[in-house]
Amino acid sequence: MMPSDKAFSHKCLLLSVLIGLLVAGLSGAMFYYKELDTIGVDFRRGVEDKTTAVERELLANLEVLFSLESLFTSSEEVSATDFTNLANGFLVRHHAIQALEWAPRVTGAEREEYERARRLDFPDFEFTERESQGSMVKAAKREVYFPVYFVAPIEGNEVAFGFDLASNANRLSMIEKSRDLDLTLATQSITLVQEVFNQKGFLILMPVYAGDARTIAKRQEKLLGFVIGVYRIADIVESAIKQTGAKGINLKLIDNTGIDAELLYANYPSAQALDHLLLSFAYTIPLRRIGGRQWTVIATPSQGYVAERQSLFPFFVGVFGCIFVLLGGGYIYIAIEHSGRIRQESEKRSRELEEAKLALEEQSLTDDLTHIANRKCFDIRFEEEWARSVRDGSSLSLIMIDIDSFRLFNETYGYASGDKCLLDLAYKLSKMPNRTTDLVARYGGDQFIILLPNTDEPILLADKCRINIEKLHIVHEASSVSDYVTISLGVISVVPTQKNYPADSMLSVKELLNQSKKLGKNRVSIGSDVISAKKGDILKFKHFSKNSGE
């Protein structure tokens, strides 16, 4: 081997090794990122399951308030015992509820009576408010109070018992908004007067009215009070995610209703650092609005979540690719994948083209306004039925219809009303024939046509159409014929042969229609004898008006 050939071979070998190493490395990287994509899909599915569970838990807790509201709207008087018995049943099942409360609307004049009635069970009961230093004091005098009058459970919520919600300006504004708009509203996160830990909570207020209250004035007059749920946010979220299977997902619940987002809950320390890989999996899902608040779940995987789902497969692909130089295998794999995608795309495009073709064909035979057959569809069917009648020696009938004084209708009521009139007439006419072989089509403008193969009663159908259209009672004050929209019709029957033409029949039925219009409208002009027609004959015409007995 010549030195030059040997050097060339060495170069080729080196190039092949380098290409093999490159392909092996790229293959390992491809599988690595594909595995990350799969982990990302599973992660997002897990987050969606947890988010759905949180929404479901929130709605389940909200349903409790609807049940309490029903108690007050369905009873003339609700005692503390009635309220407590019902509320305790819910508290057993919903552990995230700190308290269920009833805050009636109490005027200044009624305050003493309400306090005296509650002191029968709680001698120290009085309306209270929180002073600026944070301690609870006797509520100041005001026109209207919304005190926490019933509360369950009373244990642990003694501080809230008697607390006047109207003593806080922000809370009073929320109460008035809920009352006037008949809305169930939730507060932003708050430190509850009952809460001794750092867990955040929120209140949901649901207005209760005495009877129908459809206007703001009625709502203000008939407001009985508010059913209130006091909820612990962390308990709601943790109770919900216990029902899901995915572990190792870091969740944050954010309230971004206002300008500044507020952290409501997090199941991991805020100081925990997240690397770039974990942040790339970050997934944000807004919850459905609850009580006017927009909460959002922000999720990231933990280190363990990603690590336990990663395998050594991408590493082995790269290592063994370098050893065995899987250039051919990698190329075939990529080629097959690419070919499959191309084939799927091709089949998809073929299906889409076929569907588009069918849709266009159907659209081309349908009138855009009335959604019944159009002139083109009629012409095609007329030629087909004519040829069939020539072969079979059967009759073929046409009913041509024109709306009386339709131009005056448009000028009087506008073109939008005219379009609605055409649509109503088309729908009614399309329901008149009983056979699938009959065709009702819009012939053009305010004209319609009915094709009736091999029938012996076109006259009856024509007059039935005329009567039923007038019975639609579409008001037409500009008509000289009736107070409602009417139609004029022409009817023709023919037994086609090779010696006559479809155009002759069309001309005759149009002449007959014009005759109906000239003779006063709202009438049918018909052939003299449909049944006894000979092959090739076009029946002679006569007419009968809306007063005819035919």
Side-chain angles (χ1 to χ4, degrees):
M1 180 180 291
M2 297 294 292
S4 59
D5 293 338
K6 186 177 182 180
F8 178 76
S9 297
H10 287 166
K11 290 180 180 179
C12 289
L13 178 60
L14 179 60
L15 180 61
S16 298
V17 171
L18 290 176
I19 292 175
L21 292 173
L22 177 61
V23 171
L26 291 175
S27 299
M30 180 187 70
F31 283 109
Y32 171 76
Y33 286 110
K34 188 174 181 65
E35 191 173 69
L36 289 182
D37 289 341
T38 302
I39 294 173
V41 170
D42 290 340
F43 171 73
R44 289 190 291 273
R45 186 181 296 116
V47 174
E48 289 168 358
D49 289 343
K50 292 182 183 298
T51 301
T52 301
V54 171
E55 287 183 334
R56 188 166 54 245
E57 186 70 17
L58 283 168
L59 292 175
N61 280 277
L62 185 60
E63 285 296 325
V64 172
L65 299 186
F66 284 102
S67 299
L68 292 175
E69 185 231 7
S70 298
L71 173 66
F72 285 94
T73 56
S74 61
S75 304
E76 292 185 3
E77 182 176 353
V78 178
S79 67
T81 302
D82 296 333
F83 179 86
T84 302
N85 289 339
L86 181 60
N88 285 339
F90 293 123
L91 292 170
V92 171
R93 299 192 299 271
H94 300 277
H95 302 290
I97 301 177
Q98 171 71 26
L100 294 173
E101 302 170 349
W102 165 245
R105 179 182 180 275
V106 179
T107 64
E110 297 171 327
R111 173 177 175 173
E112 183 177 349
E113 178 184 351
Y114 271 78
E115 288 180 330
R116 185 169 56 251
R118 209 67 184 100
R119 285 179 187 138
L120 295 176
D121 297 320
F122 299 93
D124 296 330
F125 178 82
E126 63 180 355
F127 293 0
T128 61
E129 62 183 36
R130 188 187 294 274
E131 64 178 355
S132 58
Q133 290 80 8
S135 59
M136 303 298 289
V137 297
K138 183 175 182 179
K141 292 183 178 181
R142 53 180 61 92
E143 293 182 2
V144 178
Y145 302 87
F146 289 94
V148 176
Y149 203 63
F150 298 155
V151 59
I154 193 67
E155 297 79 10
N157 296 293
E158 294 87 353
V159 177
F161 189 37
F163 180 71
D164 179 22
L165 301 177
S167 63
N168 179 280
N170 292 334
R171 197 73 54 78
L172 179 59
S173 176
M174 180 179 174
I175 286 174
E176 292 173 345
K177 179 180 179 181
S178 176
R179 174 200 63 194
D180 294 345
L181 300 181
D182 190 13
L183 291 177
T184 298
L185 296 179
T187 65
Q188 63 187 56
S189 70
I190 57 174
T191 300
L192 304 172
V193 295
Q194 309 98 314
E195 186 60 60
V196 295
F197 303 104
N198 292 327
Q199 181 180 178
K200 291 186 177 181
F202 69 100
L203 276 64
I204 295 184
L205 284 73
M206 178 179 292
V208 180
Y209 303 97
D212 186 24
R214 299 186 181 181
T215 65
I216 292 178
K218 286 289 186 181
R219 292 167 188 160
Q220 294 175 351
E221 175 188 347
K222 296 191 175 185
L223 179 70
L224 294 177
F226 289 87
V227 173
I228 304 167
V230 186
Y231 301 96
R232 297 183 292 271
I233 296 175
D235 289 351
I236 289 178
V237 177
E238 291 171 2
S239 174
I241 61 179
K242 283 180 183 177
Q243 306 169 25
T244 61
K247 306 296 182 183
I249 297 178
N250 296 330
L251 292 178
K252 287 197 300 185
L253 185 62
I254 303 296
D255 183 355
N256 51 5
T257 306
I259 298 176
D260 297 325
E262 179 188 4
L263 177 64
L264 302 178
Y265 167 83
N267 65 349
Y268 64 98
S270 58
Q272 177 179 322
L274 300 176
D275 59 29
H276 177 72
L277 176 61
L278 298 181
L279 289 175
S280 68
F281 285 98
Y283 191 31
T284 300
I285 303 179
L287 302 181
R288 284 182 289 181
R289 295 182 74 90
I290 300 293
R293 309 299 300 181
Q294 180 60 69
W295 290 359
T296 301
V297 171
I298 300 176
T300 53
S302 65
Q303 289 283 2
Y305 181 93
V306 177
E308 71 182 12
R309 286 165 175 78
Q310 282 184 308
S311 68
L312 294 175
F313 181 70
F315 171 77
F316 285 128
V317 167
V319 171
F320 286 103
C322 293
I323 297 173
F324 298 104
V325 193
L326 296 175
L327 178 61
Y331 174 80
I332 293 173
Y333 172 80
I334 295 173
I336 291 175
E337 290 293 312
H338 185 63
S339 175
R341 287 194 296 269
I342 292 177
R343 183 171 61 255
Q344 291 176 357
E345 185 66 24
S346 177
E347 292 174 352
K348 180 181 177 182
R349 289 181 179 274
S350 297
R351 289 194 301 269
E352 290 175 349
L353 288 173
E354 184 64 25
E355 291 172 357
K357 179 182 176 182
L358 293 175
L360 286 173
E361 288 178 355
E362 182 178 354
Q363 184 177 3
S364 67
L365 298 178
T366 303
D367 181 66
D368 292 336
L369 174 62
T370 61
H371 307 299
I372 63 174
N374 59 14
R375 172 76 174 271
K376 179 180 179 181
C377 180
F378 168 77
D379 290 340
I380 294 173
R381 281 287 304 279
F382 187 39
E383 290 182 5
E384 293 174 352
E385 295 298 339
W386 185 275
R388 183 180 292 109
S389 295
V390 170
R391 292 193 306 270
D392 300 340
S394 57
S395 65
L396 192 63
S397 300
L398 293 173
I399 302 175
M400 181 164 277
I401 302 166
D402 186 270
I403 304 175
D404 297 329
S405 305
F406 191 67
R407 180 178 61 82
L408 293 177
F409 185 94
N410 279 331
E411 292 175 355
T412 303
Y413 302 102
Y415 288 98
S417 297
D419 290 346
K420 178 66 168 54
C421 176
L422 288 171
L423 190 62
D424 292 344
L425 265 64
Y427 177 81
K428 190 66 176 179
L429 292 172
S430 66
K431 300 300 181 183
M432 301 301 293
N434 296 320
R435 304 180 306 171
T436 57
T437 55
D438 300 336
L439 176 70
V440 177
R442 186 182 179 190
Y443 194 72
D446 58 344
Q447 290 187 338
F448 298 86
I449 194 163
I450 303 177
L451 177 63
L452 303 167
N454 194 23
T455 184
D456 56 1
E457 51 182 16
I459 301 170
L460 297 178
L461 179 60
D463 199 47
K464 185 179 177 182
C465 290
R466 181 190 64 79
I467 293 171
N468 281 286
I469 292 303
E470 190 170 10
K471 284 183 177 180
L472 289 177
H473 290 171
I474 301 174
V475 177
H476 189 356
E477 296 178 353
S479 173
S480 60
V481 181
S482 172
D483 293 334
Y484 306 107
V485 169
T486 59
I487 56 175
S488 296
L489 306 93
V491 184
I492 186 173
S493 290
V494 62
V495 182
T497 67
Q498 297 288 353
K499 297 181 180 180
N500 56 1
Y501 302 98
D504 296 333
S505 296
M506 290 302 302
L507 180 61
S508 298
V509 78
K510 288 178 181 179
E511 291 175 352
L512 184 54
L513 174 61
N514 290 333
Q515 183 176 338
S516 293
K517 304 287 282 188
K518 292 177 182 179
L519 291 173
K521 305 177 182 178
N522 193 19
R523 64 191 65 221
V524 180
S525 293
I526 62 175
S528 60
D529 189 355
V530 175
I531 303 303
S532 62
K534 297 179 180 179
K535 290 186 68 174
D537 289 343
I538 296 176
L539 300 181
K540 303 300 180 182
F541 308 115
K542 66 181 182 179
H543 72 275
F544 68 92
S545 70
K546 62 182 180 180
N547 298 320
S548 171
E550 294 185 60

